[in-house]
Amino acid sequence: MQKDHNDMSDFTYLLLPQLPTLPQELVDLIDRNADPLDHNISQVCIRVLDDWNGQYGSALRNVGRYDEPFQSEFVKWFKENIASTFLNTRVTYTHGGNWADDPFSKVISTGAHCDITRDYVLAYAVDTGGDDAELVFWKEDDHDVYRERGVMMSSTRSLQKIDSVKVPAGSWYLINSRVLHSTENLSRKRITVQASFDTQLPPEILNKISQ
C-alpha cells in the first residue's frame, strides 16, 4: 500500500532513496553494543501477546535512547539536510529473538500497535535486525485502517496483514504510525535512527517526497 508520493493522505510507508545517506562518521557514533534495557528515555511497556500467529509470550520491545555525542551531532545534521522542525529524534533499539523478557517465549514480534505520541516517523535503518526482519502493517476486522494513537493488539486472530517491507540497511523510510504496525522475525537487535512528527509533515519533507 505504498502510495504515490504526492498523496500523503493514504499510505502505510514510503521508501525515500532521494534523502541523503547518513554520513558514516555519524553512524560510527552509535553504540551498537548498547543493551536495549539500559535506556534513558522512559519506562518501556512490557506486553504479553496472547496468540501471535500461534505463539504466546512477551513481545519484543522498542527502546529509544538519547546518547551523546550522537544525539547532538545528528540533530545538527538533520536540521541542515532533512528538516528543521520535528518533535524529537532518537536511536531506537528493538530486541532480537534472544532479547525477549521471557526466555521461553518464541514470539519474535513487537505486536501490532499505533504509536502513542506521533502520527509519522522518519527512520533510517542502521541494522535491519536480520535477513528475515520486516515491518508489517495490519488492519483489524471491522475497523478503519487509520486508527487513533496508542491502539495495541495482543493477537493476530482479528488482524489482516495489508502490507510489509524489508527495509535495506542504509535506507530512509517514512511510516504512517496511525496504521497498526509491528516488527517481525528479528534475529538480532534492530537499530534505527528516528525523527518523530506530530499530525503534519513539514514542508521540507513533503518537498523531498515529491522529488
Side-chain angles (χ1 to χ4, degrees), residues 30-46:
I30 296 172
D31 183 2
R32 292 173 179 258
N33 295 317
D35 184 345
L37 295 179
D38 182 19
H39 61 93
N40 57 2
I41 291 182
S42 63
Q43 294 296 319
V44 183
C45 178
I46 298 175

Side-chain angles (χ1 to χ4, degrees), residues 4 16 46 54 74 81 107 130 134 149 156 183:
D4 184 282
L16 300 176
I46 298 175
F74 174 72
N81 293 277
V107 173
E134 63 180 343
R149 292 180 179 182
T156 52
T183 304

Side-chain angles (χ1 to χ4, degrees), residues 183-203:
T183 304
E184 305 286 332
N185 305 321
L186 272 66
S187 58
R188 62 176 183 263
K189 278 185 295 187
R190 182 180 179 96
I191 304 174
T192 58
V193 179
Q194 300 185 358
S196 303
F197 301 94
D198 194 10
T199 59
Q200 300 291 328
L201 291 167

